[in-house]
Amino acid sequence: MPHHFQKDIPFKRGIKALFRNKYWVMITIFMLALNLLNAVGHAVGIFYAQYILHNKDEVGILGVVGVVPIFIGLLFVAPIIKKFGKRNSAIFGVIILMIGCMILITNPTNLTTLIIAAIVKSIGSVPIGATAFAMLADTIEYGEWKTGIFTEGLVYSAGSFGAKSLKYASYGKNAISLPT
């Protein structure tokens, strides 16, 4: 009988199988860390613009320069992933993202430095975003091989819940803390 016709697995047994999947744990921690970094960035953006740059209107500029390179990069990332693989592409993205963070540290009160850092960080986030859920999907087959339990629903539910929780937490933080 193919695994996708497997009987319903009790929730507790499925969770145990999920946490025995070391690659699921690693990619989940990786995705949580990246989502947390993103959520914190969004949550403090307006405050950073207002109190560090002394112009809250600049948060819009930083938002645009942070998003545009992602849209452009998504058009070109597939051949990179095909050539270097998901893992290596994501590692390369993390390195580029860290370089962007280091650029930011050099002069965190200068708008030009922030724009350059935002562009570099966005370029680094492209291969990460393009591969994260694909790597999460890869953990399903490993988990089935390791435990004999097919946990596809739990894998995607946990990944989606974590991403959405952090995203909405950052929106909630912004809504609650906006200065008047």
Side-chain angles (χ1 to χ4, degrees), residues 66-171:
V67 172
V68 170
I70 292 172
F71 288 130
I72 295 169
L74 287 173
L75 299 173
F76 302 102
V77 74
I80 293 168
I81 294 169
K82 187 174 182 175
K83 182 173 182 171
F84 298 106
K86 290 177 278 208
R87 177 186 153 275
N88 292 339
S89 297
I91 290 170
F92 178 71
V94 169
I95 291 167
I96 298 297
L97 187 70
M98 290 184 338
I99 290 169
C101 291
M102 288 187 269
I103 291 170
L104 175 64
I105 292 169
T106 64
N107 193 358
T109 59
N110 180 280
L111 182 61
T112 303
T113 302
L114 289 172
I115 289 171
I116 293 168
I119 291 169
V120 172
K121 290 187 328 184
S122 294
I123 291 168
S125 71
V126 171
I128 297 167
T131 60
F133 273 96
M135 289 189 290
L136 185 65
D138 292 342
T139 69
I140 295 168
E141 291 180 23
Y142 172 79
E144 184 179 19
W145 171 80
K146 176 83 174 166
T147 65
I149 299 172
F150 188 62
T151 57
E152 179 180 31
L154 283 174
V155 165
Y156 286 123
S157 296
S160 178
F161 176 77
K164 288 177 185 171
S165 296
L166 287 169
K167 180 172 84 172
Y168 293 127
S170 75
Y171 292 151

Side-chain angles (χ1 to χ4, degrees), residues 5 16 35 39 44 46 50 55 89 99 105 120 129 154 172 176 178:
F5 293 116
K16 283 182 181 178
N35 283 321
V44 301
I46 194 160
Q50 184 172 2
N55 185 352
S89 297
I99 290 169
I105 292 169
V120 172
L154 283 174
I176 292 168
L178 286 176

Side-chain angles (χ1 to χ4, degrees), residues 4-103:
H4 57 277
F5 293 116
Q6 184 173 343
K7 280 176 72 175
D8 289 340
I9 306 289
F11 182 73
K12 187 175 179 180
R13 187 170 168 220
I15 292 293
K16 283 182 181 178
L18 202 56
F19 280 93
R20 286 181 48 208
N21 182 337
K22 67 181 178 183
Y23 296 111
W24 177 82
V25 171
M26 287 190 303
I27 192 69
T28 299
I29 290 170
F30 175 71
M31 289 173 68
L32 279 172
L34 289 171
N35 283 321
L36 182 61
L37 176 69
N38 193 29
V40 168
H42 286 140
V44 301
I46 194 160
F47 300 106
Y48 193 89
Q50 184 172 2
Y51 297 110
I52 305 297
L53 300 176
H54 305 291
N55 185 352
K56 65 182 176 186
D57 296 331
E58 290 176 352
V59 74
I61 295 167
L62 294 172
V64 169
V65 299
V67 172
V68 170
I70 292 172
F71 288 130
I72 295 169
L74 287 173
L75 299 173
F76 302 102
V77 74
I80 293 168
I81 294 169
K82 187 174 182 175
K83 182 173 182 171
F84 298 106
K86 290 177 278 208
R87 177 186 153 275
N88 292 339
S89 297
I91 290 170
F92 178 71
V94 169
I95 291 167
I96 298 297
L97 187 70
M98 290 184 338
I99 290 169
C101 291
M102 288 187 269
I103 291 170

